[in-house]
């Protein structure tokens, strides 16, 4: 069984998350929801985030539109293109 070891979020990452939380005025529920999202539902506290989860959360808070991340920029462009085409019928009999 291959199991990867996830390092815990650093103290600097946790401080940054809380600083951004205050800066953006997130209330307790919004903050817990965000942490739950980025941990895949595993936790609601930054103290239990993995280093990679904390990095993604910080990156999203600092760049919510994904303008600095080429992969996110590409996905956003695709979503905008799909939205612009105003697809009415979905393939495969979905409705």
């Amino acid at each position: 069984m291959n199991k990867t070891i996830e390092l815990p979020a650093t103290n600097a990452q946790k401080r940054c998350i809380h600083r951004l939380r205050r800066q953006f005025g997130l209330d307790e529920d919004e903050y817990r929801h965000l942490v739950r999202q980025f941990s895949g539902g595993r936790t609601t506290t930054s103290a239990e985030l993995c280093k990679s989860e904390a990095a993604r959360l910080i990156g999203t808070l600092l760049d919510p539109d994904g303008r600095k991340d080429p992969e996110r920029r590409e996905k956003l462009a695709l979503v905008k293109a799909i939205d612009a085409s105003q697809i009415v019928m979905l393939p495969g009999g979905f409705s």
Side-chain angles (χ1 to χ4, degrees):
M1 177 164 83
N2 291 339
K3 196 169 190 180
T4 58
I5 297 174
E6 288 283 344
L7 297 174
T10 65
N11 288 334
Q13 284 178 312
K14 291 182 269 188
R15 282 192 305 270
C16 183
I17 289 169
H18 286 278
R19 190 175 325 116
L20 291 169
R21 174 189 172 194
R22 286 188 303 274
Q23 182 179 334
F24 292 119
L26 298 176
D27 67 25
E28 189 72 21
D29 289 337
E30 292 169 324
Y31 163 72
R32 302 275 176 209
H33 178 74
L34 258 179
V35 172
R36 182 181 290 120
Q37 260 186 307
F38 281 85
S39 70
R42 187 176 51 75
T43 186
T44 60
T45 176
S46 63
E48 296 177 5
L49 285 175
C50 298
K51 194 172 186 175
S52 61
E53 295 165 342
R56 284 193 349 264
L57 175 55
I58 292 166
T60 299
L61 289 171
L62 291 175
D63 184 26
D65 296 328
R67 296 173 193 244
K68 296 177 186 171
D69 182 354
E71 184 178 322
R72 288 184 66 198
R73 200 175 327 139
E74 191 176 305
K75 289 177 185 176
L76 182 60
L78 177 61
V79 168
K80 285 182 180 179
I82 290 170
D83 188 44
S85 69
Q86 297 181 3
I87 298 173
V88 177
M89 294 178 55
L90 296 174
F94 294 101
S95 55

